Amino acid sequence: MTDKSKSFGEVFDAHTFAEFQARDIEATMATMGGAPHVTHVPTMTGGHGLDGVRKFYETWFIGKWPADTVVTSLTRTIGETGLVDELIISFTHNCEMPALLPGIAPTGRKVTIPFVVAVGFDGDKISYERIYWDQASMLVQLGLLDKTALPVTGAEQTARLLDPNLPSNTLIPK
């Protein structure tokens, strides 16, 4: 591992620790560069610039996750200017989560979903985060979308990632 890749990983690990375990806005912002941006692609939530990102984190993200949230790393790829993490996030939807589920009241249902986070760096600070997940799969797991009417899945996505021996092509008509 190069010094740069170790640095990127250490910075992002400190960032996610501050977000999810410490729930500390100052520690989170300390990992960010001077003009960061955060985009949750499926919901178009996030912020731009220090003030916008801070407001997003303070108002809609940090502390707006269920207490039982578990983030499990699957893979990390480190490049010249950033890293990409493939994660599984699990939680019970027992609180409002405006960044991921804007306007959706708590359902009390369990969710387990793959996430991909692309993180750019400027030196040793985070310049951007782009976070991707399958919103339809999340809505299926919350009972808000009927998967029998659409070619979508629920928690099966995560199960298949963890066990590649599980069936593929289940949505293709026979």
Side-chain angles (χ1 to χ4, degrees), residues 36-81:
H37 55 97
V38 173
T39 303
H40 290 134
V41 175
T43 56
M44 295 302 295
T45 57
H48 185 266
L50 281 173
D51 291 340
V53 169
R54 175 182 286 279
K55 180 178 179 180
F56 169 70
Y57 283 143
E58 284 180 329
T59 307
W60 297 298
F61 191 80
I62 294 177
K64 305 294 185 188
W65 284 81
D68 70 345
T69 298
V70 175
V71 179
T72 305
S73 177
L74 292 179
T75 64
R76 172 170 281 171
T77 303
I78 298 177
E80 289 297 313
T81 61

Side-chain angles (χ1 to χ4, degrees), residues 50-169:
L50 281 173
D51 291 340
V53 169
R54 175 182 286 279
K55 180 178 179 180
F56 169 70
Y57 283 143
E58 284 180 329
T59 307
W60 297 298
F61 191 80
I62 294 177
K64 305 294 185 188
W65 284 81
D68 70 345
T69 298
V70 175
V71 179
T72 305
S73 177
L74 292 179
T75 64
R76 172 170 281 171
T77 303
I78 298 177
E80 289 297 313
T81 61
L83 65 81
V84 176
D85 272 357
E86 182 183 23
L87 311 164
I88 293 174
I89 299 183
S90 302
F91 58 86
T92 303
H93 183 224
N94 58 12
C95 66
E96 291 187 9
M97 301 177 72
L100 271 64
L101 295 161
I104 304 295
T107 63
R109 292 184 175 214
K110 186 78 176 160
V111 171
T112 180
I113 188 127
F115 273 65
V116 175
V117 182
V119 184
F121 285 83
D122 185 6
D124 65 350
K125 299 290 185 176
I126 296 169
S127 60
Y128 67 82
E129 288 181 90
R130 295 188 295 250
I131 300 103
Y132 301 84
W133 68 91
D134 182 347
Q135 187 73 345
S137 176
M138 190 176 307
L139 296 174
V140 164
Q141 292 177 62
L142 296 174
L144 301 172
L145 187 62
D146 179 7
K147 72 178 184 176
T148 63
L150 298 166
V152 298
T153 62
E156 301 92 332
Q157 287 181 357
T158 302
R160 177 70 167 68
L161 282 177
L162 295 174
D163 182 357
N165 293 311
L166 291 175
S168 295
N169 307 318

